[in-house]
Each structure stands twice: as structure tokens, then as C-alpha cells.
């Protein structure tokens, strides 16, 4: 072995005595208490040498508090040394020391944490942490080869968790942005450099980089099973946006000496943060003072508002209007709300012509923004514009042109048209009070007369009704009593007619912001009273037991009575044994068994009781019968009907009851049947605007379908469906949801699916029999059997009053279709309402409601126009999703079947739609292949559509010739 180890070179040092000499003194080998840090380079070297905790604290203390004018260094400003030190702090110090410090709750540990946070609370520090977080996420442990795993001292999941925790501590608070901006603004940097630094922070925090990085990190932790118990607020868009809004408000109202610079920087932050998608959360915090009706810092916030671009100012203004309407929803009917909202709008748009024009566009547009606002909100906006005659005339002219446009009348949803009528009548009233001669001349112009004529000539009954409303209301305003326009229509004298006609007589004005403040104080006081009146949670309310008393007659009272009377007194039998008493331990016997609720308020309390299973189940079992029993008895149900419906829709099967879906659905149908017009609209709004899961939304649609059929007289036929819901067979495998979610959603939609299949059978079976009869030969060779008149009368069903036909348009159909158009316009095709499951369920619900209303419904032409336009707009989407395609074909077939008794009107009013449907059905029949069960069902429905359309086309071919030429 010695031969293998040979010295290649020998070298002697200059020391003659051969003793070891000590190396030169270095700051790294010195004890912590003797450290001397003079330059930032010394700090960098010490940090890179893996210092102990004492040495690290010396470095952090020097970085945090050094004020040597001879050393031009600041870790919070850009520089090469600062970047290297920040890199070491982020890569090594946070992962090595931060987890230990957070576990220690002593004051010394808290001081160490604050020192590190102060060093990194800067633009460069925040950017370095986010960059480090993104780097770790992009090189996830599962995606790395084995030879690269050794470059990490800790698992990536651990480092991601520590970085997110550190970011939470670094950015928490309402003055974080103010602190960072103050340091940048008072630094020695020139103004262009300050602007570049601030732009970098805006890009990092307000554009979503930090939000997306933290959200991706939390998703990684959840998938790896090492996530925290609570999700970070930095990864929650709503909470993060609220934090941004608080910080922007503090920046604007903080330093009054540097107000102009602060406002410019805050406006840059606000402008970029509006692109996050959480505009309402940000505006609610930034302009909270104005929304709540207070006047402090009003001028400062107005300066911030005017610092935005024109488009952003309009967006913020529309958002503030929605927030005020939502906040004071309980008192929206009061005059103080209208005058206060008008004052808020006036304080922002006064002397700003582009904002005033924006309000005119908001009132007369068809984007869907003004539709979601209430009548009171529109009254406040119009009151703001009514102070200037040119603005009110411009608004009146645009609303009137829109009101009489034939394309607008034919293709715009009914809800949009009603909003247009409200704006027109309110504006007409303001214009008449300011200039009566102008309004009188306008009512005699060709524009107004042609608009009324177009309305009355429309094929839609709703459009005709709105035209009569405007004609009567304006005539009452400008004409004398003997010359007023009148129509012999009872609907004009109804509640809706009186409400719309009274809009011309409203006198709304601009109040003060204090009106909103008084409403806020009133709501706070009411909430405090309600909190004191509500019973304490967890303490069950039980009746006070009073001792039973009995009066025992004295023996003297029985003197003189016959002895035979005692024989007539029969003894009581022994009581039956109680199952609760079977237990040997008397302490386990339950005496306070829940009783069935007899009042609606008791029912709601039982449904809210999630801790008592017996009371919860008993309330759910008796809900349907109690609601139906109380519906026409007093005002108990009507006073609490919307609150009760909210509770039922939001119920969760926390006890996994077998009949939970059935009981809940029966209760929701009972609520709908108690007040069909009101609750039909409420369920439609809740389906689109409520924050519910897919299964809960499906249950709402099922309630609307079965409730509509119950009103039409099909309650007995649907009793099996509502009493025992089973999952439908032959689902499309590509559209099945995972696990228990599929079971929940399928159970909610089972009734609608079963009804749809039954309707398919009833529509297609006669067509198949008729086709087979044609193939059997001429009618002369067929044998016809005759039945007796008595047997025919026995089989004939008695006519049933269809209560649905009276309210199907305004209570069920149009609220659903209008809100669907608004939501699809806002969310395009990527929203939850375009999901194949919900869209299929939605189309089947509309078809069932339309079928239940019957072919004799007076509003059938308007319903046909609305439904056919929706179906044709979904042709492209349906070709890529078989469930949607099947539901779409079923809807078209239902539509054609209902109009089969009046085919000529169908050809005259919908010739283009009829030809387009026929061409599209032929295309579907060619593309969808046979052989599979899914394809066979689609081809069967397609064949039914083709038979119906060809039957109509062949019968009225000459009438269609003109439209056919245009179509080709």
C-alpha cells in the first residue's frame, strides 16, 4: 500500500522553527459580541457565512438602524449590494430561522421577527420573495429529477409554506403601502427613479402576480397534503382586494403635506387593481366614506376619483351605485335613499359632461347593467340628470327612440323593455315639470306617435301592454280629462299597471349625503335591536312546567247520592309503555322530545337548528304540509315566505338522511305554490344571483318545473316523482361529475329528467304511429273499430283549470330567460350557467314550464319568440356537448308541438326561425351516427323535429316562398 501513495511534490515554508502561524483576523471568526460591521459588504460576507442567531441579529440591527451619512446604502433602495443581501435573507434566513422564531412567542423572538420584516418590507424585498416562491413552485418536487433534489435543504412544500406565512406578516395591516411609499418618496432617488420603483410595486401587487403566486402555492400544498389549516388571505381574491382597498384609502388620506403625490401614486394603484376582477370589493373599501354618507375626506376622494381615466371613472361610478343599492336594500323604498343616492352621484358627476353622458348611456343601454338595478336606483340617477334641461331632453329622446324601435320591440327581452318604459315615464315626468310645452309638442310629434303605433302593432302581448301603459300615462300627464287615451283592458287597472302609470307623477330631488348616513345609523340600530331580541344560541326554549292541580270534593258533597252512581265510574286503563323508558338507567330517559311546529317561525327555527337531529328532521318532515295549510290562512306564510325559501334552498344534508332530497323538494314546491307569481320571480333571481352549489341550483330548477306542473293540474302525475326520486338511467359518461357530487346533482335533477322523458314519449309516440299507419297501405283497405259513446266518455279526462297560463310569462318564463341572457352576456360561455349539466337542466325546465302552460296560453306567441331565439343561439355549443344537444332538440320539439294547432301563425311570424331549424336538424341528423344508445336518442329527437318542420313547410310552402328566397 505504501508504494501506491507517493509524494508528487514537497514544499517548505519560510518559517524556520516549523510552528503554525495564526491566520489573519476576519470578521467572520470573531465572537458575536465583538462583531464590528462597518460596511454593507461586511454584512453580506457575514450573512453568506451561515452565521449563528446572535450574529444574524447584529446584521439585521445594522441593516435596520444604521444612519452613517458617509455610507450611501439603503437595503430598501435598488443596488447591487442590497440585491445580494436580500437574496441571502430570502433564500437562507427565512427558511432557516423564521419557522423557529414563529414557534417562540417571547418578546425577544417577536423583536427578531420585526427586525427581519422591516428589512424586507420594501419593493425589492417583496419582489424577491414572490420570485423565490414562483421558482420553487415551477420546480416542484414531483417534476424534478432525482439528481436535482439535493439542491434544496428543505422540501419544496415546507419552503412554500414558510414563504407564504412570511408574506402574510410582511404585508398585513392597512398602512403597508403607505410605509413603502413614504420611504420611496423621501429617499434620495430622483423622481423618474421613484416612478419606476412604484410602477414595479404596482405591477407586483395590483396586477395579480402576488395573488396568483400565493394561490398556486396553496394549491400545491393542498395537493401534497401539507397545507395549513386555514387558507391564506393573500390567495383569496376577495380578501386580498379588500386589503388593497384599505391600503389605497390610507395612502390618500394619510399624509396631508404630500397629498398631491400620494393621490397620484394611489390612483396608479387603484387603476391597475380594477383589472383584478374584484372591483366591488376594492371600491367598497376605497370609497367607504362616500358610500356610508359621511363627508369627511370627501374632497380628497374626489381628487382620487378624477385622477382615473374616463373609462375607469365610469366603471367606478356604476360600481358605487350598485354598492349603495345593495347596502341599503332594506330601506330602498324610502325617500331618503333616493335623495341620498342622488346627492352622492351629483357630488361626483357635477360639471363633468362625460360622466353625465355615461349615466344617460347607462340608463338607455342594453348591456344588462341597468337591468339589475331597481326602480328606486333609476329614480335617483334620473333625479341627478333632471337639474339640467339639455340632459333630461337628451335622455328622453334616446329612451323614446328605443321605445319605438321595431327591432328593439321584437328581439329585446321583456325585462329590458320594462326598464326602458320605467326610464321613459320617470324622465317624461321630470321634463313636463320643467318645460310642459316641450313635452306637449313631443307627444304630438311623429316620433312619439310612431312609437305608440309600433307597440300596439306588435305580436307580443307584453309589448302591447307596455305601449298602452305609456300612452295612457303620458295622456294623463298632458291632456285634459275628456281627451285622455283609454283602453278597455283590465290589466291597466291592476297593481302593475297603476305602479307604472304612477311613475310620471313622482317628484324626486337631490338631497344630501347625510340622508345615506341616517339610513346607515337606522340599519345599525335595527340590527342591534334584533340582536338583543334574538334568543341565545344553544339554550333550547321549553315551556314552563306548572304543577298540575286538582280539586278534591269533600265527602259531604256526595252525601245523599245514590250508591249506584259509583258503579258508573269506570277506571282508567293502564298507559302503554314508553319506548323511552325501556332503558334501565333512569338518567338516560329523554323527556323533552321535540314537537311538530305549528307556526312558520317555529318551523324556520327548527330548520336552522343544526345541533338537534330530532327537531331538525321533524321540522323538515312537516314543512310541506304546514306551509300548504298556512298558505291561505292569514299572513303568516306571506310575511316570511322569502326568508323561508332562503333557508330551504340553503339546507345541507349534514345528517345524510335518505329522504332529505325528497322532503326538501316538497317543501320548496309548497313555498312556490303558496305565492306563485312572487316566488317564481324569486326562485329565478336566486338561481342566477345566489351563491349556491350546482346541486342547489338544480333543485331550484326542479322546484320551478314541478311547481309549474302542479299549477297546471299535473300534481297527481308528478306525485311519484316528488315522493321517490331515483337517479335517471343511461347518463352520458363524459358528463358525469366525480363521486358524491354526481349523486347529489343527479338526485336534484332526476324529477325533471323523468318528466322530460315522459313528454318525449307522448310527443314522439303519436308521430311514430302515424308514420307506421302511412306505411301500412291506403286507408280504404284498413279496418276501423268503433267504440261506444259511454266507453269514450268514461276514458275522457275532466278539464282542469290551468292557473299557470295566467302568470307563466311574467312569473316563470321571462324572469328565467332574461336573467339567463344577462348572465351569459356578463360571463360569456365560461360561466357556471354554461356548464353542460346546468344548461341541460335549464333548457328542460323551460320546456316543461312551456308545455305545462298549454297551447291555449295567451302569451304563447311571445314565449315562442323568446324561447326560439335562445335555442337558435345555442346551436354551436350543442354540437360539442351531447347532453345539451339532446335537451335542445327536446326543447325545439316541445315548441313545435305546442304551436301545432296554429301552424299558419307560426309560419307568418317565425318563417326564418323555422327554416333555420330545419336546416340545422338535417345537419345534426347527418353528423350524429347511429349504433350507440346516446346517438340513437339524439337521432330519434332529430327525426321528430324534421317531421314537424317538414310538415309545416310542405303545408304552407307558398306562404314561405318569400322568406325562403331571403334565407337562401
Amino acid at each position: 500500500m505504501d508504494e501506491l501513495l507517493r509524494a508528487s511534490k514537497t514544499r517548505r515554508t519560510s518559517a524556520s522553527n516549523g510552528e503554525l502561524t495564526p491566520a489573519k483576523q476576519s470578521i467572520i471568526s470573531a465572537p458575536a459580541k465583538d462583531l464590528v460591521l462597518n460596511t454593507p459588504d461586511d454584512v453580506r460576507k457575514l450573512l453568506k457565512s451561515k452565521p449563528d442567531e446572535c450574529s444574524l441579529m447584529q446584521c439585521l440591527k445594522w441593516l435596520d438602524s444604521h444612519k452613517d451619512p458617509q455610507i450611501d446604502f439603503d437595503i430598501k433602495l435598488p443596488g447591487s449590494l442590497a440585491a445580494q443581501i436580500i437574496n441571502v435573507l430570502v433564500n437562507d434566513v427565512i427558511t432557516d430561522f423564521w419557522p423557529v422564531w414563529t414557534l417562540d412567542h417571547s418578546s425577544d423572538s417577536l423583536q427578531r421577527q420585526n427586525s427581519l420584516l422591516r428589512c424586507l418590507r420594501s419593493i425589492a424585498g417583496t419582489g424577491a420573495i414572490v420570485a423565490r416562491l414562483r421558482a420553487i413552485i415551477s420546480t416542484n418536487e414531483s417534476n424534478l429529477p432525482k439528481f436535482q433534489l439535493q439542491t434544496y435543504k428543505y422540501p419544496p412544500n415546507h419552503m412554500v409554506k414558510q414563504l407564504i406565512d412570511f408574506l402574510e406578516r410582511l404585508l398585513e395591516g392597512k398602512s403597508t403601502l403607505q410605509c413603502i411609499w413614504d420611504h420611496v418618496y423621501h429617499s434620495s432617488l430622483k423622481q423618474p427613479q421613484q416612478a419606476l420603483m412604484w410602477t414595479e410595486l404596482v405591477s407586483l401587487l395590483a396586477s395579480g402576480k402576488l395573488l396568483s403566486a400565493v394561490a398556486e402555492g396553496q394549491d400545491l400544498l393542498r395537493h401534497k397534503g401539507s397545507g395549513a389549516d386555514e387558507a391564506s388571505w393573500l390567495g383569496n381574491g376577495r380578501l386580498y382586494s379588500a386589503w388593497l382597498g384599505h391600503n389605497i384609502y390610507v395612502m390618500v388620506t394619510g399624509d396631508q403635506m404630500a397629498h398631491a403625490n400620494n393621490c397620484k401614486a394611489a390612483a396608479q394603484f387603484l387603476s391597475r387593481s380594477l383589472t383584478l376582477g374584484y372591483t366591488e370589493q376594492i371600491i367598497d373599501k376605497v370609497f367607504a366614506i362616500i358610500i356610508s354618507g359621511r363627508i369627511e375626506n370627501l374632497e380628497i376622494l374626489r381628487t382620487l376619483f378624477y385622477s382615473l381615466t374616463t373609462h375607469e371613472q365610469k366603471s367606478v361610478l356604476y360600481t358605487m351605485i350598485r354598492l349603495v343599492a345593495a347596502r341599503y336594500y332594506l330601506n330602498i323604498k324610502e325617500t331618503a335613499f333616493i335623495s341620498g343616492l342622488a346627492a352622492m352621484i351629483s357630488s361626483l358627476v357635477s360639471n363633468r359632461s362625460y360622466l353625465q353622458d355615461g349615466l344617460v348611456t347607462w340608463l338607455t343601454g342594453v348591456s344588462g347593467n341597468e337591468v339589475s338595478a331597481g326602480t328606486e336606483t333609476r329614480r335617483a340617477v334620473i333625479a341627478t340628470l333632471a337639474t339640467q334641461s339639455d340632459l333630461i331632453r337628451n335622455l328622453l329622446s334616446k329612451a323614446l327612440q328605443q321605445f319605438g324601435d321595431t327591432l328593439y320591440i321584437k328581439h329585446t327581452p321583456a325585462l329590458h323593455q320594462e326598464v326602458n318604459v320605467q326610464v321613459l315615464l320617470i324622465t317624461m315626468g321630470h321634463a313636463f315639470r320643467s318645460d310642459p310645452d316641450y313635452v306637449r309638442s313631443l307627444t304630438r310629434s311623429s316620433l312619439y306617435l310612431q312609437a305608440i303605433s309600433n307597440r300596439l302593432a306588435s305580436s307580443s302581448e307584453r309589448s302591447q301592454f307596455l305601449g298602452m301603459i305609456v300612452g295612457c300615462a303620458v295622456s294623463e300627464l298632458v291632456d285634459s280629462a275628456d281627451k285622455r287615451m283609454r283602453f278597455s283592458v283590465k290589466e291597466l287597472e291592476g297593481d302593475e299597471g297603476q305602479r307604472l302609470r304612477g311613475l310620471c307623477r313622482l317628484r324626486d330631488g337631490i338631497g344630501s349625503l347625510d340622508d345615506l348616513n341616517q339610513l346607515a345609523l337606522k340599519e345599525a340600530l335595527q340590527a342591534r335591536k334584533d340582536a338583543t331580541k334574538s334568543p341565545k344560541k344553544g339554550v333550547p326554549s321549553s315551556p314552563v312546567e306548572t304543577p298540575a292541580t286538582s280539586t278534591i270534593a269533600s265527602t259531604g258533597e256526595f252525601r245523599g247520592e245514590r250508591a249506584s252512581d259509583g258503579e258508573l265510574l269506570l277506571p282508567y286503563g293502564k298507559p302503554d309503555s314508553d319506548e323511552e323508558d325501556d332503558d334501565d338507567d333512569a338518567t338516560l330517559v329523554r323527556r323533552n322530545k321535540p314537537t311538530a311546529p305549528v307556526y312558520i317561525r317555529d318551523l324556520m327555527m327548527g330548520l336552522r337548528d343544526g345541533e338537534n337531529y330530532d327537531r331538525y328532521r321533524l321540522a323538515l318532515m312537516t314543512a310541506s304540509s304546514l306551509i300548504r295549510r298556512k298558505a291561505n290562512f292569514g299572513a303568516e306564510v306571506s310575511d316570511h315566505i322569502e326568508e323561508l325559501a332562503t333557508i330551504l334552498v340553503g339546507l345541507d344534508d349534514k345528517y345524510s338522511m335518505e329522504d332529505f332530497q325528497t322532503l326538501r323538494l316538497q317543501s320548496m314546491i309548497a313555498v312556490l305554490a303558496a305565492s306563485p307569481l312572487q316566488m317564481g320571480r324569486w326562485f329565478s333571481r336566486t338561481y342566477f344571483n345566489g351563491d349556491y352549489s350546482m346541486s342547489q341550483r338544480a333543485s331550484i330548477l326542479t322546484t320551478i318545473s314541478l311547481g309549474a306542473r302542479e299549477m297546471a293540474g299535473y300534481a297527481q302525475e308528478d306525485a311519484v316523482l316528488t315522493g321517490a326520486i331515483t337517479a335517471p338511467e343511461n347518463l352520458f359518461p363524459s358528463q358525469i361529475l366525480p363521486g358524491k357530487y354526481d349523486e347529489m346533482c343527479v338526485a336534484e335533477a332526476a324529477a325533471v329528467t323523468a318528466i322530460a322523458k315522459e313528454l318525449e314519449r307522448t310527443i314522439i309516440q303519436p308521430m311514430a304511429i302515424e308514420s307506421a299507419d302511412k306505411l301500412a297501405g291506403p286507408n280504404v283497405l284498413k279496418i276501423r273499430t268503433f267504440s261506444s259513446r259511454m266507453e269514450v266518455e268514461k276514458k275522457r279526462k275532466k278539464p282542469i283549470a290551468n292557473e299557470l297560463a295566467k302568470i307563466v310569462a311574467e312569473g316563470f318564463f321571462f324572469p328565467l330567460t332574461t336573467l339567463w341572457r344577462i348572465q351569459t352576456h356578463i360571463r360569456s360561455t365560461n360561466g357556471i350557467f354554461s356548464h353542460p349539466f346546468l344548461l341541460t337542466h335549464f333548457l328542460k325546465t323551460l320546456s316543461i314550464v312551456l308545455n305545462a302552460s298549454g297551447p291555449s296560453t295567451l302569451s304563447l306567441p311571445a314565449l315562442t319568440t323568446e324561447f326560439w331565439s335562445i335555442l337558435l343561439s345555442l346551436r354551436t355549443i350543442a354540437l360539442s356537448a351531447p347532453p345539451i344537444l339532446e335537451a335542445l332538440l327536446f326543447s325545439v320539439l316541445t315548441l313545435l308541438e305546442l304551436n301545432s294547432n296554429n301552424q299558419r301563425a307560426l309560419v307568418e311570424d317565425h318563417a326564418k326561425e323555422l327554416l333555420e331549424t330545419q336546416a340545422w336538424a338535417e345537419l345534426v341528423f347527418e353528423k350524429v351516427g347511429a349504433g350507440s344508445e346516446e346517438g340513437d336518442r339524439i337521432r330519434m329527437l332529430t327525426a321528430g323535429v324534421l317531421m314537424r318542420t317538414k310538415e309545416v313547410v310542405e303545408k304552407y310552402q307558398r306562404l314561405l316562398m318569400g322568406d325562403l328566397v331571403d334565407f337562401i
Side-chain angles (χ1 to χ4, degrees), residues 15 38 64 85 167 295 366 399 533 597 617 624 636 743 819 906:
N38 297 321
D64 186 28
I85 294 174
L167 270 175
I295 59 175
V366 291
K533 289 181 180 179
R617 177 170 177 77
S624 176
E636 191 176 358
E743 298 177 0
L819 292 172
L906 191 69

Side-chain angles (χ1 to χ4, degrees), residues 681-729:
R681 295 172 176 175
W682 185 90
F683 276 116
S684 301
R685 292 195 305 269
T686 304
Y687 173 76
F688 289 102
N689 300 330
D691 188 11
Y692 295 108
S693 63
M694 289 181 62
S695 63
Q696 290 170 329
R697 295 182 194 274
S699 68
I700 293 175
L701 292 179
T702 304
T703 301
I704 294 175
S705 301
L706 297 180
R709 285 179 60 84
E710 180 177 332
M711 291 184 60
Y714 298 100
Q716 294 182 355
E717 297 181 12
D718 298 340
V720 178
L721 299 175
T722 57
I725 300 175
T726 56
E729 300 176 356

Side-chain angles (χ1 to χ4, degrees), residues 459-462 490-491 805-806 808-809 853-863:
S459 60
S460 172
E461 291 190 1
R462 186 64 180 174
K490 63 180 181 179
E491 285 80 3
K806 302 176 183 178
V808 62
S853 64
S856 302
T857 305
L858 296 178
S859 58
L860 183 60
L863 300 178

Side-chain angles (χ1 to χ4, degrees), residues 114-175:
N114 293 332
S115 298
L116 181 58
L117 290 170
R118 284 193 296 270
C119 292
L120 292 178
R121 187 173 284 120
S122 62
I123 300 174
T126 308
I129 297 173
V130 175
R132 176 65 173 170
L133 182 61
R134 284 192 173 278
I136 297 174
I137 294 173
S138 62
T139 57
N140 187 8
E141 183 178 0
S142 60
N143 299 325
L144 284 176
K146 293 183 179 180
F147 66 88
Q148 289 188 8
L149 292 178
Q150 59 185 0
T151 59
Y152 291 100
K153 297 183 296 183
Y154 303 98
N157 302 344
H158 172 79
M159 291 187 289
V160 167
K161 187 175 184 302
Q162 298 306 324
L163 288 174
I164 293 177
D165 292 343
F166 187 82
L167 270 175
E168 282 189 355
R169 289 286 305 278
L170 184 71
L171 299 176
E172 67 180 358
K174 300 180 181 179
S175 58

Side-chain angles (χ1 to χ4, degrees), residues 114 267 283 465-466 471 504 557 635 653 709 727 831 914 960:
N114 293 332
I283 300 304
F465 172 74
L466 294 177
C504 290
E557 296 178 10
D653 189 11
R709 285 179 60 84
L914 183 65
L960 280 168

Side-chain angles (χ1 to χ4, degrees), residues 49-87:
S49 65
K50 310 296 181 185
D52 57 5
E53 191 171 356
C54 295
S55 302
L56 175 62
M57 288 307 303
Q58 291 290 335
C59 295
L60 295 178
K61 184 178 180 180
W62 190 90
L63 292 172
D64 186 28
S65 59
H66 87 93
K67 298 180 180 179
D68 192 349
Q70 298 181 358
I71 302 176
D72 186 14
F73 175 79
D74 190 347
I75 193 174
K76 297 183 179 180
L77 298 180
S80 58
L81 276 176
Q84 295 180 46
I85 294 174
I86 289 174
N87 186 50

Side-chain angles (χ1 to χ4, degrees), residues 696-965:
Q696 290 170 329
R697 295 182 194 274
S699 68
I700 293 175
L701 292 179
T702 304
T703 301
I704 294 175
S705 301
L706 297 180
R709 285 179 60 84
E710 180 177 332
M711 291 184 60
Y714 298 100
Q716 294 182 355
E717 297 181 12
D718 298 340
V720 178
L721 299 175
T722 57
I725 300 175
T726 56
E729 300 176 356
N730 304 323
L731 293 173
F732 295 101
S734 60
Q735 303 298 333
I736 294 179
L737 299 174
K740 63 178 182 180
Y741 302 104
D742 176 65
E743 298 177 0
M744 293 169 57
C745 294
V746 166
E748 297 290 359
V752 172
T753 304
I755 294 174
K757 286 187 176 182
E758 180 64 21
L759 292 179
E760 287 179 13
R761 187 187 65 80
T762 56
I763 294 174
I764 294 178
Q765 187 176 12
M767 297 169 59
I769 295 175
E770 182 181 356
S771 300
D773 185 63
K774 290 181 180 180
L775 295 175
N779 293 332
V780 180
L781 302 178
K782 297 175 186 176
I783 299 175
R784 182 181 178 185
T785 58
F786 294 91
S787 301
S788 64
R789 187 168 59 88
M790 299 299 294
E791 293 179 359
V792 174
E793 291 297 331
K794 288 181 181 179
K795 295 180 180 179
R796 181 177 297 173
K797 295 182 178 179
K798 295 181 180 180
I800 302 174
N802 193 339
E803 299 294 335
L804 175 66
K806 302 176 183 178
I807 62 170
V808 62
E810 56 184 0
F812 291 84
F813 199 86
F814 284 132
L816 283 173
T817 56
T818 304
L819 292 172
W820 180 83
R821 289 180 184 273
I822 294 173
Q823 291 297 331
T824 52
H825 175 79
I826 296 174
R827 306 173 187 266
S828 69
T829 58
N830 298 323
I832 186 175
F833 302 108
S834 298
H835 189 278
F837 172 76
L838 284 183
L839 186 55
T840 300
H841 201 33
F842 176 74
L843 292 176
K844 290 182 179 180
T845 298
L846 290 178
S847 302
I848 292 172
V849 171
L850 188 62
N851 179 270
S853 64
S856 302
T857 305
L858 296 178
S859 58
L860 183 60
L863 300 178
T864 302
T865 302
E866 180 76 6
F867 198 21
W868 216 335
S869 64
I870 291 177
L871 296 177
L872 291 178
S873 67
L874 295 173
R875 287 175 292 178
T876 306
I877 302 176
L879 291 176
S880 59
I884 301 178
L885 181 58
E886 183 184 1
L888 185 59
L889 290 169
F890 167 69
S891 301
V892 174
L893 192 58
T894 304
L895 195 66
L896 295 173
E897 181 68 20
L898 279 177
N899 290 273
S900 60
N901 295 333
N902 194 6
Q903 294 179 349
R904 184 177 182 86
L906 191 69
V907 172
E908 291 175 350
D909 298 336
H910 306 285
K912 183 180 178 181
E913 291 85 349
L914 183 65
L915 296 174
E916 288 184 2
T917 302
Q918 182 181 2
W920 174 73
E922 292 174 352
L923 178 64
V924 172
F925 197 79
E926 293 176 0
K927 283 191 173 184
V928 178
S932 63
E933 186 176 358
E934 171 185 322
D936 291 340
R937 286 207 307 272
I938 293 177
R939 287 174 65 87
M940 178 188 67
L941 292 172
T942 309
V945 172
L946 286 174
M947 288 182 63
R948 285 298 185 196
T949 53
K950 288 183 178 180
E951 177 187 351
V952 178
V953 170
E954 291 176 359
K955 188 174 182 180
Y956 298 96
Q957 191 170 6
R958 292 184 179 180
L959 187 61
L960 280 168
M961 188 57 66
D963 296 288
L964 184 60
V965 173

Side-chain angles (χ1 to χ4, degrees), residues 171-179 242-251 285:
L171 299 176
E172 67 180 358
K174 300 180 181 179
S175 58
T176 305
L177 294 182
Q178 179 67 38
C179 295
W243 172 82
L244 274 179
H246 274 301
N247 277 265
I248 293 172
Y249 174 76
V250 172
M251 276 192 65
K285 301 302 179 183

